[in-house]
Amino acid sequence: MTTSIETPAELEEFRIKVRDWFATNATREDAVATDKKDEVEEGETEDFLVVARKFQNTLYDAGLSGLSWPKEYGGQSLTMNHQRVFNEEASGYVMPSTPFMVTLGMCAPTILQYGTEEQRKRHIGPMLRGDEIWCQLFSEPGAGSDVAGLTTKAVKDGDEWVINGQKVWTSGAHYASFGLIVTRTNPDVPKHKGITMFIVDMKAPGVTVRPLRQMSGASGFNEVFFDNVRVPATSLVGVVDQGWTAAIGTLMNERVSIGAGGGGLGRGTGTVQFDRLAELATSTGAITDPVTRNELATIWVKERTLAILGDRMRASLKSGKAPGPEGSIAKLAGSELGKQVADMAMDLLAESGQAWTNDDEESLRWATNLLASPGGAIAGGTPEIMRNILGERTLGLPKEPQLDRDMPFKEIRTN
């Protein structure tokens, strides 16, 4: 049962617990900046995965993971005020949580909403503890922005389903233990019907994962091939041929996660990018420039607004409401803010943002951030898709023409 009301004394006691835990188990960001000898760079390396798992294990064992998640599935059933206190105390500390963003921001909420009781009890706890890392298997070479055009097939064979096809741009598939996959199970109905979601074991025979090298130098995305992969009928998430509903739920959670920052991890208080840019502006001397100060103020306002919107969305989710258009607002505003931050950093760095020395890690980090920002804008739906959603569902504008929407999928012409 969820605790709905907390007293100031309880919140203060919780704050002291969180503060003590971070002081003992985490590293402050300013300490990392002055002493890098023991640092493991955040990214997709095995070393970073070990660090991230250990951090999440310790966080969970201390009762500080899944604060507002149901206790019966491994959460703490606490309030959003507890989450707010946690965020405030976590600010300024390094949280190696990147590998769990898809797991806790997208897959776990989908299992909670559409999974069976057995699936919730089996997976949610290990997800929160970091023992299970999941990926989301949606995009395909011919079905990116139009996910409903997917062609990966699942065919029933006794008590199992057999999956064949290919997914692409799958974040974290190379270290994920499970994935949520959407498949075509009935080509005789329109494309938004006849889709079914399953849980798939990423180590099962027939699953091949190939990392993709991005222009930022990272390789967090993958293409994933399924060759006669067999999953049990108990892996079904939701209802056969009605998986589009669950898929929309996952995508909305993805937009909330990307837009609000941190997904189920609940990290950050909303001024992380501002703090880093202000530090950069101070180091370059640009902080005295009125134009720079105005840009910084604009970014502070946007970042804080997104953080408050994130709190509102998480509170809405906690009360059982499905993510609405505000997820698209947060996703669109978050991706545009990310580009604005990257552009401003390049302006502040001037020529060192284009050509830096080997020991200039600050310039390298911001240049990498710039190269990665387009990927962040595409993930979870492009800005154009977000604007379409907001125009149609919030402003009531007419839908774009979709001639194939009501056609049987097998009759739709594809390349």
Side-chain angles (χ1 to χ4, degrees):
M1 179 179 293
T2 301
T3 303
S4 57
I5 300 175
E6 73 291 312
T7 66
E10 288 172 342
L11 278 183
E12 187 58 25
E13 182 182 354
F14 179 72
R15 182 183 295 279
I16 293 172
K17 175 183 177 180
V18 176
R19 185 175 298 167
D20 290 345
W21 187 89
F22 271 96
T24 304
N25 296 280
T27 304
R28 292 201 63 83
E29 291 179 346
D30 50 5
V32 173
T34 57
D35 182 5
K36 296 175 177 294
K37 64 180 184 295
D38 295 326
E39 180 185 4
V40 176
E41 189 71 21
E42 184 166 352
E44 304 86 16
T45 66
E46 288 298 323
D47 286 345
F48 180 72
L49 201 57
V50 171
V51 171
R53 279 189 190 279
K54 182 180 178 182
F55 182 89
Q56 191 67 21
N57 286 173
T58 311
L59 191 71
Y60 179 88
D61 293 344
L64 296 175
S65 175
L67 294 181
S68 59
W69 295 47
K71 201 159 193 171
E72 59 267 36
Y73 304 125
Q76 300 301 318
S77 289
L78 296 176
T79 68
M80 292 308 298
N81 279 331
H82 288 89
Q83 185 69 63
R84 175 181 55 77
V85 168
F86 179 91
N87 292 351
E88 290 170 356
E89 294 300 322
S91 180
Y93 282 96
V94 176
M95 290 188 68
S97 50
T98 304
F100 310 111
M101 290 190 69
V102 173
T103 306
L104 299 180
M106 305 165 206
C107 297
T110 302
I111 295 297
L112 276 177
Q113 187 172 0
Y114 299 101
T116 64
E117 185 67 6
E118 181 183 353
Q119 289 168 351
R120 296 186 194 109
K121 289 182 175 178
R122 162 66 183 82
H123 293 292
I124 298 298
M127 286 170 150
L128 287 172
R129 194 172 185 275
D131 294 334
E132 289 185 6
I133 297 178
W134 285 49
C135 62
Q136 171 199 29
L137 298 148
F138 279 29
S139 295
E140 299 183 359
S145 294
D146 182 17
V147 176
L150 62 91
T151 58
T152 294
K153 294 188 302 183
V155 178
K156 190 85 184 298
D157 182 18
D159 292 332
E160 295 180 319
W161 290 81
V162 182
I163 300 174
N164 282 282
Q166 179 191 352
K167 299 293 180 177
V168 73
W169 307 121
T170 309
S171 301
H174 52 305
Y175 51 62
S177 41
F178 293 95
L180 279 181
I181 186 171
V182 283
T183 62
R184 178 75 50 196
T185 46
N186 185 356
D188 297 322
V189 294
K191 63 180 180 179
H192 291 89
K193 302 176 181 177
I195 291 174
T196 304
M197 178 182 286
F198 296 96
I199 297 170
V200 60
D201 183 346
M202 294 299 290
K203 309 303 178 189
V207 178
T208 302
V209 179
R210 296 178 183 169
L212 296 167
R213 183 66 64 182
Q214 300 135 229
M215 69 176 176
S216 64
S219 56
F221 298 128
N222 301 270
E223 52 183 355
V224 186
F225 299 86
F226 296 87
D227 185 12
N228 291 318
V229 176
R230 306 184 79 87
V231 298
T234 53
S235 294
L236 172 68
V237 178
V239 180
V240 173
D241 289 348
Q242 297 181 31
W244 184 245
T245 301
I248 287 294
T250 306
L251 289 170
M252 291 303 291
N253 282 311
E254 181 178 18
R255 290 160 192 165
V256 169
S257 178
I258 294 173
L265 300 165
R267 61 178 296 188
T269 56
T271 61
V272 174
Q273 300 290 0
F274 166 81
D275 291 344
R276 291 173 176 168
L277 279 176
E279 184 179 341
L280 179 61
T282 301
S283 67
T284 61
I287 194 69
T288 59
D289 175 30
V291 175
T292 299
R293 296 172 72 87
N294 185 62
E295 287 185 56
L296 282 170
T298 301
I299 286 173
W300 188 92
V301 169
K302 289 184 177 179
E303 206 171 4
R304 280 296 299 143
T305 303
L306 269 174
I308 294 169
L309 180 60
D311 287 344
R312 174 178 163 176
M313 288 188 292
R314 279 187 280 270
S316 183
L317 285 170
K318 182 175 169 60
S319 66
K321 297 179 182 175
E326 62 265 38
S328 296
I329 295 173
K331 168 63 178 57
L332 177 61
S335 60
E336 291 188 342
L337 177 61
K339 184 177 184 307
Q340 184 179 1
V341 167
D343 288 344
M344 182 176 180
M346 288 296 104
D347 289 341
L348 291 171
L349 288 167
E351 66 272 11
S352 66
Q354 307 299 314
W356 53 90
T357 57
N358 288 338
D359 60 348
D360 185 1
E361 296 187 13
E362 182 75 358
S363 296
L364 171 61
R365 184 160 49 247
W366 281 114
T368 303
N369 187 53
L370 176 71
L371 294 174
S373 62
I378 295 170
T382 64
E384 289 76 15
I385 290 177
M386 296 303 105
R387 288 190 173 92
N388 272 356
I389 291 172
L390 293 172
E392 294 171 3
R393 300 180 189 174
T394 303
L395 302 178
L397 299 177
K399 286 180 172 292
E400 284 193 342
Q402 290 181 300
L403 300 179
D404 61 359
R405 187 174 183 87
D406 297 322
M407 293 174 60
F409 182 76
K410 65 183 180 183
E411 296 179 9
I412 297 175
R413 297 180 65 179
T414 58
N415 292 327

